[in-house]
Amino acid sequence: MNARDESPILLVGAGVAGITAAIWLSDFGVPFDWIDTRQTPGGILHKVHNRIDDYPGGTFQDGPDLAHALSTHLQRLDLQPRRATLHALECDGSDLRCTIGDAAVVHPEHLLLATGTQYRQLCIPGEQRGLKEGRISQSATADAPRFRGRHVAVVGGGDSAFENALILSKYDCRVTLFARNPNFKARPAFVDSVTAAPGITIAPIPSEVTRVELLDDGCRLHVDQRGAQITCDVAALFVRIGVDPALPEGSTVLDRDRRGFLRTDSDGRTSHRRIFAAGDIVATPLRSVATAVGAGARTARALAVEYGAI
């Protein structure tokens, strides 16, 4: 179990990869401390609102449904992360200094980061208030029914943005898609479907939403469109511009790819020999439940080898 004050390993994150790592570390008999910022394990699964049927052994209604199944599994094993946040990481040679919460500092022999990803935001005026008041959304699957038959906007040029536009059109929404780059990252099938959909309009490119002004019943988007400043009144704005790795302050010392995801070897070891990483924060061509499970197990085994447990 978790010998919290004396554990040689600090496991951070309780998404799919973190949960898997915890199960395998426990099975190998390796002591570890496990923390997560959420009260309930599952990580970004709590924001996944589509059906999950590509993971062997079960079909789940959505992310929270799978998160509940994982939590139930942990309860049977008497495993549970404690609620805490790794705010900062300092690497002084081989020594690791981890600041947890407001002031607590621990020095684990090894750190396993499984903190996952977070939806990327536009970082523009009005965005945070819009998210709080439900005028800005990050999931058409969850929120499209609220805006049935109304004019909405989607920002992004990848699969998620185009898929969200198509979902919204199924609810009879009039959709305006704003993108900054004419070279869409979305797969051709999505692009073709959006282009052919009568209720979806792709705004002139480049179009960049620079500010959100909340109205009594919707929001006004301030858009830089080919250098001209325009406004667009919509019921809601859906922001789907990708994800960023959720990493603590100080992790920039670790080797990353150009998007900020951690580079690791086949065992999950980062550029610092005492720091491992697993799951969606790692540079990988595919982020899924299946790959997160595999990464969590593989990295837990590597740590077990470090401690002579196997």
Side-chain angles (χ1 to χ4, degrees):
M1 296 305 167
N2 302 28
R4 290 174 178 167
D5 295 327
E6 302 176 0
S7 297
I9 297 171
L10 175 62
L11 167 58
V12 185
V16 175
I19 289 170
T20 305
I23 292 172
W24 282 78
L25 286 170
S26 178
D27 190 54
F28 287 133
V30 178
F32 64 99
D33 183 12
W34 187 16
I35 65 173
D36 187 67
T37 57
R38 282 181 172 270
Q39 185 71 45
T40 306
I44 204 170
L45 284 176
H46 292 284
K47 294 186 176 182
V48 175
H49 300 284
N50 56 275
R51 188 177 180 85
I52 299 173
D53 55 11
D54 55 2
Y55 182 63
T59 295
F60 302 91
Q61 179 179 341
D62 51 23
D65 185 28
L66 175 53
H68 176 73
L70 295 173
S71 293
T72 301
H73 189 174
L74 290 174
Q75 290 169 8
R76 289 200 303 267
L77 299 176
D78 194 25
L79 281 172
Q80 192 72 18
R82 61 187 177 97
R83 190 174 184 182
T85 300
L86 174 59
H87 285 298
L89 166 65
E90 297 178 50
C91 306
D92 183 9
S94 62
D95 182 52
L96 299 180
R97 177 185 172 90
C98 299
T99 303
I100 299 174
D102 293 333
V105 176
V106 297
H107 299 265
E109 293 181 30
H110 287 89
L111 174 66
L112 172 49
L113 295 171
T115 44
T117 57
Q118 55 196 3
Y119 287 125
R120 190 176 296 158
Q121 297 182 12
L122 295 170
C123 299
I124 58 175
E127 183 175 25
Q128 292 306 311
R129 184 182 168 196
L131 286 165
K132 183 177 180 180
E133 297 190 12
R135 319 282 184 84
I136 297 179
S137 171
Q138 294 173 318
S139 173
T141 306
D143 293 328
R146 293 198 291 125
F147 303 102
R148 180 186 294 273
R150 303 187 66 188
H151 182 199
V152 298
V154 177
V155 174
D159 281 355
S160 295
F162 278 71
E163 185 177 26
N164 271 239
L166 291 168
I167 291 170
L168 289 160
S169 70
K170 293 178 181 178
Y171 285 85
D172 298 321
C173 291
R174 182 164 59 91
V175 184
T176 299
L177 178 67
F178 293 107
R180 293 188 301 179
N181 193 328
N183 299 317
F184 300 129
K185 294 181 179 179
R187 67 190 74 174
F190 278 153
V191 175
D192 292 344
S193 295
V194 164
T195 303
I200 302 176
T201 300
I202 299 177
I205 301 173
S207 288
E208 182 175 0
V209 179
T210 59
R211 182 163 69 93
V212 178
E213 178 185 353
L214 298 190
L215 305 175
D216 290 339
D217 188 26
C219 52
R220 175 168 296 153
L221 309 181
H222 294 257
V223 185
D224 184 332
Q225 193 170 90
R226 295 179 174 175
Q229 305 303 311
I230 68 165
T231 60
C232 178
D233 289 0
V234 293
L237 171 64
F238 290 79
V239 179
R240 294 309 301 264
I241 55 175
V243 296
D244 287 321
L247 292 167
E249 179 184 340
S251 57
T252 53
V253 298
L254 303 176
D255 187 28
R256 305 184 185 203
D257 70 3
R258 62 181 180 81
R259 296 180 57 203
F261 292 89
L262 298 178
R263 299 185 190 276
T264 67
D265 65 13
S266 59
D267 287 330
R269 194 189 301 271
T270 69
S271 55
H272 190 291
R273 67 185 185 86
R274 292 185 182 272
I275 301 177
F276 289 72
D280 288 353
I281 58 170
V282 174
T284 174
L286 175 64
R287 291 180 175 83
S288 69
V289 175
T291 56
V293 168
R298 185 177 65 249
T299 306
R301 182 188 183 282
L303 284 165
V305 171
E306 288 275 341
Y307 288 94
I310 54 175

